[in-house]
């Protein structure tokens, strides 16, 4: 049994922390919105600050919305850094900037502690079922130490490279997912406008080369009009911003990523920031003046 800290207990973090408790570990918990009662009933211990979490845990996991949130929790007043002692490990499972991740890692290393960036893919379904794909940036030695903990939350845990590599891999993942969601939306809209049952089209395509988890899960959400997150459009928009910012730095053109980002922007303009990413189809429907 290990003492593990978990900061950020939202749609993703709550079930992930639950799996660690079920795995026999002692969990020290903090969330700005309060620690869910369910986790307390499972045996988790609520803390008053990220600093207190770090004081009690050998591995401190963060699962937060964006880069500034991670920076504040790690280095702000009563932050994780203030509670660290040499030999501890910080594992950030948020999806944030690879560039800032390297800066955060260096600051944690200066305190005599290790840092792992370990963003995830799989959404709320993967978090609930402990089937997340986890992409890690760390040294091999540090990765070996935290891998058993990560495996309690995910079915695929891969060391990508040094600090920042995990976040770079996650951005690549988000490009693929976003463009595939948009493609599924176009395809189902096309079929529906042509007078063909989109549910049957989806069923048929799931048996062919177009099959994907996005078609399976997000396609069903589009057909059933179930746009509760899931993964919020505002967070996917944030990830594509990271992709496009990085691409400009690298001198790389990502034209379809940029086009999909504009659709996310339009969705947010129509009040859809909190909708699931699959709701991007609603912007396509407005352009076509047709609802699936």
């Amino acid at each position: 049994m290990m003492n593990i800290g978990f900061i950020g207990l939202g749609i993703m973090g709550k079930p992930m922390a639950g799996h660690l408790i079920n795995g026999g570990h002692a969990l020290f918990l903090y969330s700005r919105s309060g620690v869910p009662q369910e986790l307390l009933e499972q045996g988790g211990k609520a803390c008053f600050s990220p600093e207190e979490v770090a004081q009690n845990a050998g591995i401190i996991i963060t699962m937060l919305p964006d880069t500034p949130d991670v920076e504040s929790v790690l280095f702000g007043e009563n932050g994780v850094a203030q509670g660290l002692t040499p030999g501890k490990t910080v594992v950030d499972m948020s999806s944030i900037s690879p560039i800032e991740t390297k800066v955060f890692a260096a600051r944690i290393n200066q305190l005599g502690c290790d840092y792992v960036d370990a963003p995830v893919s799989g959404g709320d379904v993967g978090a609930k079922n402990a089937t997340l794909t986890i992409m890690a940036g760390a040294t091999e030695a540090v990765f070996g130490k935290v891998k058993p903990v990560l495996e309690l939350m995910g079915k695929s845990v891969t060391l990508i490279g040094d600090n920042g590599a995990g976040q770079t891999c996650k951005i690549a993942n988000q490009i693929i997912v976003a463009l595939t969601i948009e493609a599924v939306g176009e395809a189902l809209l096309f079929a529906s406008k042509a007078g063909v049952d989109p549910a049957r089209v989806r069923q048929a395509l799931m048996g062919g080369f177009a099959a994907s988890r996005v078609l399976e899960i997000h396609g069903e959400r589009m057909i059933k009009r179930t746009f509760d997150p899931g993964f919020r459009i505002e967070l996917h928009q944030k990830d594509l911003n990271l992709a496009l910012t990085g691409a400009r730095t690298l001198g790389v053109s990502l034209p379809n990523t940029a086009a999909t980002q504009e659709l996310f922007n339009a969705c947010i303009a129509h009040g859809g920031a909190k909708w699931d990413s699959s709701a991007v189809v609603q912007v396509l429907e407005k352009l076509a003046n047709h609802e699936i």
Side-chain angles (χ1 to χ4, degrees):
M1 186 185 76
M2 300 177 64
N3 289 346
I4 298 175
F6 207 109
I7 301 170
L9 302 168
I11 292 174
M12 299 289 291
K14 177 184 172 183
M16 292 165 67
H19 295 313
L20 297 179
I21 295 174
N22 292 336
H25 298 293
L27 265 288
F28 295 86
L29 307 168
Y30 176 81
S31 185
R32 287 179 297 187
S33 58
V35 176
Q37 183 64 31
E38 178 183 337
L39 293 177
L40 297 176
E41 292 173 354
Q42 287 180 257
K45 299 174 178 64
C47 296
F48 292 104
S49 68
E51 178 182 8
E52 184 181 349
V53 172
Q55 289 170 342
N56 285 281
I59 295 177
I60 301 94
I61 297 172
T62 53
M63 187 63 177
L64 302 164
D66 204 350
T67 307
D69 302 299
V70 175
E71 183 175 22
S72 175
V73 162
L74 293 182
F75 306 111
E77 185 178 358
N78 300 316
V80 167
Q82 296 180 7
L84 292 175
T85 51
K88 296 190 175 186
T89 303
V90 174
V91 181
D92 178 38
M93 303 189 76
S94 320
S95 296
I96 66 168
S97 163
I99 296 172
E100 292 304 309
T101 289
K102 294 178 182 180
V103 174
F104 298 164
R107 293 178 67 179
I108 295 297
N109 292 158
Q110 288 174 356
L111 299 174
C113 297
D114 296 314
Y115 191 95
V116 182
D117 50 295
V120 307
S121 178
D124 61 321
V125 175
K128 291 173 183 175
N129 295 328
T131 57
L132 293 168
T133 295
I134 302 175
M135 305 152 256
T139 65
E140 289 193 17
V142 173
F143 176 71
K145 182 169 63 173
V146 302
K147 186 179 180 183
V149 173
L150 299 178
E151 287 177 332
L152 292 173
M153 299 176 283
K155 69 174 182 178
S156 173
V157 182
T158 305
L159 176 62
I160 306 300
D162 293 333
N163 287 138
Q167 295 294 354
T168 298
C169 183
K170 176 59 188 289
I171 289 174
N173 177 87
Q174 294 302 80
I175 292 171
I176 293 171
V177 171
L179 270 61
T180 306
I181 290 173
E182 195 277 338
V184 167
E186 286 194 14
L188 295 180
L189 178 63
F190 170 79
S192 177
K193 182 69 173 179
V196 178
D197 184 350
R200 293 191 178 186
V201 169
R202 173 184 165 276
Q203 181 181 0
L205 295 180
M206 283 301 299
F209 201 60
S212 69
R213 289 285 286 167
V214 169
L215 178 61
E216 177 187 356
I217 295 173
H218 292 80
E220 183 178 44
R221 288 172 176 171
M222 292 174 188
I223 292 167
K224 292 185 176 180
R225 321 299 294 174
T226 53
F227 296 129
D228 295 331
F231 188 70
R232 301 195 303 273
I233 281 178
E234 63 183 349
L235 295 180
H236 214 149
Q237 180 203 42
K238 175 263 299 182
D239 290 341
L240 293 193
N241 280 338
L242 292 174
L244 294 170
T245 299
R248 283 192 292 271
T249 301
L250 295 170
V252 174
S253 176
L254 302 178
N256 291 322
T257 300
T260 303
Q261 176 70 314
E262 290 303 320
L263 293 173
F264 281 147
N265 292 342
C267 219
I268 290 174
H270 285 276
K274 307 296 183 184
W275 298 340
D276 183 77
S277 292
S278 58
V280 72
V281 72
Q282 292 189 90
V283 174
L284 297 173
E285 290 172 334
K286 290 182 184 296
L287 294 173
N289 194 27
H290 176 82
E291 185 175 296
I292 292 174

